[in-house]
Amino acid sequence: MIALCVGLALFLGIHLTQALAPQWRAAQIAKRGANGWKLAYTAVSLVGFGLIVWGFSLARLNTVELWPRIPGMNHLAALLTLIAFILVAAFHVPRNHIRATLKHPMTLGVKTWAFAHLIANNTLADLVLFGSFLLWSIVVFRAARRRNEPAPPAGTAAGTALTVVAGAAAWAVMAFWLHGLWLGYRPLG
């Protein structure tokens, strides 16, 4: 559990700098240059992510169940993660109505993904991992809404269609193949 917590602190901490410590972040960019900051940011993120994956795999070996599983939640979680993948795709695909309307679909996608995993899982490791990402996404979303950023470009039907197709395809690959390969559990069989 320690590796998981350290990984979460590193990964989510560096991803909180823009929301909670913008002056410190700006000072680091001024000190290191944009490329130096990106290199440090990436290094901390990768180390944190590696510790999260390793720590979660270790924490799952000593399962501490916090509540009984609720029937049907896996199906609801599958639907919510589909939505989450489409929201994340909306951040990356240019000129789609989802991003134009929501402005911060990546953060909303992480929030949806984390919530979906919390309702479908019942262990301490799940609560620590997905609860941390849920809290992070709430903080980042609120901070992003307060910043005075230009509106995203207007969406097009083609951009929106591509967003939905890309998100659904990525979800299907994860749900039916990668999740089982990577984590040893196939959520949809």
Side-chain angles (χ1 to χ4, degrees), residues 21 65 100:
E65 291 190 6

Side-chain angles (χ1 to χ4, degrees), residues 23-103:
Q23 295 85 4
W24 180 84
R25 180 179 177 269
Q28 295 305 307
I29 293 170
K31 178 179 169 184
R32 301 170 189 272
N35 288 337
W37 168 251
K38 288 177 186 175
L39 182 63
Y41 188 96
T42 301
V44 171
S45 295
L46 288 174
V47 169
F49 185 74
L51 285 170
I52 289 169
V53 171
W54 181 57
F56 188 68
S57 68
L58 292 176
R60 286 181 18 180
L61 296 175
N62 298 318
T63 304
V64 177
E65 291 190 6
L66 300 176
W67 56 82
R69 286 189 180 265
I70 301 169
M73 287 299 109
N74 284 351
H75 295 95
L76 179 57
L79 174 62
L80 289 172
T81 55
L82 171 61
I83 293 167
F85 271 78
I86 292 170
L87 288 168
V88 171
F91 176 78
H92 296 288
V93 176
R95 300 188 62 84
N96 66 79
H97 287 99
I98 298 169
R99 183 169 188 185
T101 302
L102 299 177
K103 296 183 180 54

Side-chain angles (χ1 to χ4, degrees), residues 4 8 11-12 49 52-53 56 60 73-74 76-89 105-121 125-138 170-171 174-175 179 182-183 187:
L4 174 60
L8 286 165
F11 186 84
L12 297 178
F49 185 74
I52 289 169
V53 171
F56 188 68
R60 286 181 18 180
M73 287 299 109
N74 284 351
L76 179 57
L79 174 62
L80 289 172
T81 55
L82 171 61
I83 293 167
F85 271 78
I86 292 170
L87 288 168
V88 171
M106 171 78 82
T107 308
L108 291 171
V110 172
K111 190 184 297 187
T112 305
W113 168 83
F115 178 73
H117 283 79
L118 281 173
I119 64 171
N121 297 295
D126 295 313
L127 181 62
V128 169
L129 176 63
F130 302 114
S132 296
F133 272 94
L134 181 59
L135 288 172
W136 170 85
S137 62
I138 290 168
W171 171 84
M174 178 58 88
H179 204 282
W182 190 19
L183 301 170

